[in-house]
């Protein structure tokens, strides 16, 4: 390979696998989790679904702590999707209340532990006081470097890509971007996730084998791992198991 093609291939390989110096991808830098199964967990106990979501918050706490200990740089969790608006109003209210409660009760502890909080998703439809709490959490923790916790709330991958495309089109119309130069890099740069590496590993609990519109751009080359465990039962042992499975995967990024 020579010239432009070699340059392009080297650049693409670097972006897909940002570790340098020949270091193996033995440990994921970024784990993204679809926290599924709260409803079934509650139903199995004869309890309302909101009880399962509440137990899910504790599983989230355990998982954040374990991820920090295990040296994970970024943990993204899918807490509320744009499709979750189809749920009954009381369940939506319960999920909003849990996010409110989580930020209020855990922000100080997470901040002291060096966790940076970022929020992904549409702001429209989210109650104003929750938006204020999200902004406060992001601002208060912006200097933290131990781990980034990304909370995907009112999030949908397709809408996120559409928004980026709108902005690119706007800039192209204004003459700021040459349409001929638009490529995957351009789109990645217009997504809010441009500040952190793409997920290396996507985990879904409760046995379902779907991405459900979660980080669909960023997960193009992520390993996918499904646990039968329902989310409220997920924690450190399952995360350790996930790391062991990941270390045995052979990531080829389309190569051989
Ligand atoms: C999917 O389980 C889970 C959700 C839609 C919400 C996930 C939320 C949490 C784990 C707690 C909230 C955390 C914060 C910080 C807000 P499901 O309800 O679809 O379960 P099912 O498939 O068994 O019905």
């Amino acid at each position: 390979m020579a010239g432009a093609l070699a340059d392009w291939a080297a650049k693409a390989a670097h972006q897909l696998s940002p570790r340098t110096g020949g270091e193996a991808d033995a440990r994921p830098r970024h784990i993204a989790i679809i926290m599924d199964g709260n409803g079934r967990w509650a139903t199995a106990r004869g309890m309302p679904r909101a009880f399962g979501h509440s137990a899910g918050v504790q599983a989230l706490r355990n998982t954040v702590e374990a991820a920090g200990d295990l040296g994970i740089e970024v943990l993204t969790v899918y807490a509320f999707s744009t499709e979750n608006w189809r749920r009954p109003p009381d369940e939506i209210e319960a999920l909003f209340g849990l996010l409110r409660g989580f930020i209020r009760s855990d922000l100080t502890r997470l901040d002291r532990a060096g966790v940076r909080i970022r929020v992904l998703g549409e702001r429209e439809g989210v109650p104003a006081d929750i938006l204020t709490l999200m902004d406060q959490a992001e601002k208060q923790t912006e200097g933290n470097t131990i781990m980034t916790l990304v909370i995907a709330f009112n999030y949908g991958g397709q809408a996120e890509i559409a928004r980026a495309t709108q902005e690119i089109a706007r800039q192209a119309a204004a003459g700021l971007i040459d349409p001929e130069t638009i490529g995957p890099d351009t789109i990645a740069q217009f997504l809010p996730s441009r500040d952190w590496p793409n997920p290396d590993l996507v985990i879904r609990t409760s046995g379902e084998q779907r991405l459900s519109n979660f980080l669909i751009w960023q997960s193009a080359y992520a390993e996918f791992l499904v646990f039968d465990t329902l989310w409220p039962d997920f924690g450190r042992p399952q995360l350790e198991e996930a790391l062991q499975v990941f270390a045995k995967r052979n990531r080829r990024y389309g190569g051989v």
Side-chain angles (χ1 to χ4, degrees):
M1 242 185 325
L5 185 57
D7 290 349
W8 186 86
K11 199 169 152 215
H14 175 74
Q15 280 157 358
L16 291 169
S17 181
R19 286 182 184 195
T20 51
E23 189 185 347
D25 281 357
R27 188 174 58 196
R29 296 178 69 187
H30 180 174
I31 297 181
I33 308 185
I34 303 172
M35 309 183 286
D36 197 7
N38 296 343
R40 278 164 280 171
W41 186 90
T43 305
R45 286 158 180 78
M47 299 297 282
R49 295 174 55 81
F51 182 70
H53 295 314
S54 179
V57 175
Q58 189 51 46
L60 174 61
R61 287 193 181 102
N62 298 342
T63 304
V64 171
E65 190 179 315
D69 293 346
L70 293 166
I72 304 305
E73 291 172 43
V74 185
L75 178 71
T76 301
V77 291
Y78 206 4
F80 190 85
S81 78
T82 44
E83 287 71 37
N84 287 153
W85 287 105
R86 296 185 191 133
R87 296 190 176 212
D90 61 332
E91 185 172 343
I92 294 173
E93 200 38 62
L95 286 164
F96 284 174
L98 287 172
L99 181 63
R100 225 180 243 122
F102 177 72
I103 298 179
R104 284 193 186 131
S105 62
D106 289 48
L107 179 57
T108 305
R109 190 180 51 80
L110 290 170
D111 187 21
R112 286 203 186 121
V115 176
R116 178 171 189 182
I117 295 176
R118 299 292 300 265
V119 181
L120 278 187
E122 302 288 312
R123 289 172 74 90
E124 200 184 324
V126 179
D129 71 302
I130 297 188
L131 294 176
T132 304
L133 282 169
M134 287 171 170
D135 293 345
Q136 185 195 335
E138 289 195 325
K139 195 163 181 0
Q140 186 174 326
T141 62
E142 70 187 346
N144 292 345
T145 55
I146 299 292
M147 189 177 85
T148 300
L149 171 64
V150 184
I151 302 174
F153 198 86
N154 200 19
Y155 175 83
Q158 291 181 339
E160 181 184 58
I161 296 166
R163 248 180 217 288
T165 310
Q166 266 180 356
E167 185 54 30
I168 293 168
R170 244 180 245 122
Q171 297 205 10
L176 299 169
I177 293 179
D178 172 2
E180 297 304 320
T181 65
I182 296 173
D185 278 1
T186 324
I187 294 173
Q189 280 309 310
F190 279 82
L191 292 172
S193 54
R194 65 182 157 268
D195 295 343
W196 51 87
N198 285 335
D200 303 293
L201 175 63
V202 175
I203 294 173
R204 183 164 189 151
T205 57
S206 91
E208 306 288 350
Q209 304 189 16
R210 286 186 295 278
L211 269 180
S212 298
N213 205 11
F214 183 48
L215 301 179
I216 50 175
W217 176 274
Q218 299 88 340
S219 296
Y221 284 91
E223 295 294 319
F224 191 46
L225 180 55
V226 173
F227 276 83
D228 286 333
T229 313
L230 301 176
W231 175 252
D233 294 326
F234 194 92
R236 186 176 297 256
Q238 289 75 17
L239 197 63
E240 285 175 352
E241 188 185 332
L243 294 193
Q244 282 171 14
V245 173
F246 180 85
K248 292 192 190 113
R249 294 271 177 99
N250 180 6
R251 302 182 79 193
R252 291 191 294 274
Y253 304 103
V256 289

